[in-house]
Structures are given as C-alpha cells and as structure tokens.
Amino acid sequence: MVTAARLKETFGGPRVLRRVADLEAFAARVREGLPYAALEAVAARYDIPLRELTRVLALPERTLARRKSEGRLRADESDRLFRLGRVAALAEDVLGETAKAARWLRRPNRALGGRAPLDVLDTDLGAQQAETVLHRVEHGVFS
C-alpha cells in the first residue's frame, strides 16, 4: 500500500495539495476535484506526455484545455488521475526510483498480456492487474 505522504509527493507535494495529510483527506479532495496542477505534476514526474495522459484519462484535449483554465478537474477525472498516480507511486516504491517507475509504466509487460501498464490504467480492473504485477515483483515472484 502506498502511503499518503508518497501520494502527496506524486501529485505535486504541499505546493499543490496543502491540507492533505492522510488517505481520507485524499478521498475528499478527489471527490471535490483535484487541482489541474496535480495532473501536471504526475505528467512531469513520470515523464508522460500530455497527449498520452489524455488518452489514459479519457480526457479530450479541448476538455483538458478547459480544465486548465478552470484550474480544477471534475471528480470522475480526478478519480482516474488518482488511479494512475497510485499505480505510478507504487511502481516508484517497488522499483526504487522515479525514472525506473516511468519506464515500467511504458514498457509492454507479459503479465499484462503484452500491454504496457499505462495502457491498462483506463479501467479499475486494469489498475488492479498492474498493482498485482508490482506486488509480485516486490515479493520476488517472476512477472
């Protein structure tokens, strides 16, 4: 399980999420909509181009531009971003480095049917599968 502190760092730290101290506070922020800066922080941290991020989050580019001007994502969009950030943070914890996690997110994985983890994060089931692969790696099981 990824800690609230790691998640806060993933989403831009205290600069972006000032009063988020635990997972319950994260859930509340996701329900009200994460700041657009959290999306930018995840994209920058894991070197995910915005075009690819819009595909994973099912956000058309025009909608993304509108959210940028509004400064906030909707709750459903925030939930999808949180799912991606949660898996990316877990990858960073398991693999030990942000750069390794970023590479893992993009590389095809046999345990995911040859798909890259980023490509399965469009559903909650896909996120669970990616997390299972990471837990197997964490415990030394070939994946």
Side-chain angles (χ1 to χ4, degrees):
M1 175 111 186
V2 180
T3 65
R6 168 66 79 190
L7 287 169
K8 188 172 186 174
E9 185 180 317
T10 296
F11 289 98
R15 176 184 57 80
V16 176
L17 300 172
R18 288 175 192 83
R19 288 171 250 165
V20 175
D22 56 25
L23 293 177
E24 192 172 309
F26 256 109
R29 286 301 298 266
V30 168
R31 283 185 200 102
E32 70 186 35
L34 290 170
Y36 182 84
L39 181 141
E40 290 176 326
V42 170
R45 184 176 188 93
Y46 298 103
D47 196 29
I48 303 170
L50 280 181
R51 177 161 289 212
E52 192 170 359
L53 197 58
T54 60
R55 181 186 53 78
V56 173
L57 299 177
L59 267 174
E61 288 185 41
R62 292 191 67 192
T63 302
L64 188 67
R66 198 167 45 253
R67 297 295 179 260
K68 184 175 183 175
S69 68
E70 294 168 357
R72 182 163 306 283
L73 301 173
R74 290 186 345 202
D76 60 324
E77 298 158 350
S78 296
D79 189 50
R80 292 190 300 267
L81 177 62
F82 185 79
R83 178 172 55 218
L84 174 114
R86 184 185 73 226
V87 172
L90 179 61
E92 188 173 345
D93 276 353
V94 169
L95 301 173
E97 294 178 22
T98 306
K100 286 181 181 179
R103 282 192 304 273
W104 182 84
L105 286 167
R106 274 193 215 73
R107 282 204 179 126
N109 190 302
R110 219 165 35 170
L112 297 173
R115 297 178 71 193
L118 260 182
D119 294 335
V120 301
L121 295 180
D122 58 340
T123 66
D124 190 54
L125 180 58
Q128 288 176 9
Q129 291 171 326
E131 289 171 330
T132 298
V133 170
L134 285 167
H135 289 303
R136 290 176 59 125
V137 169
E138 182 177 35
H139 295 290
V141 178
F142 179 73
S143 292

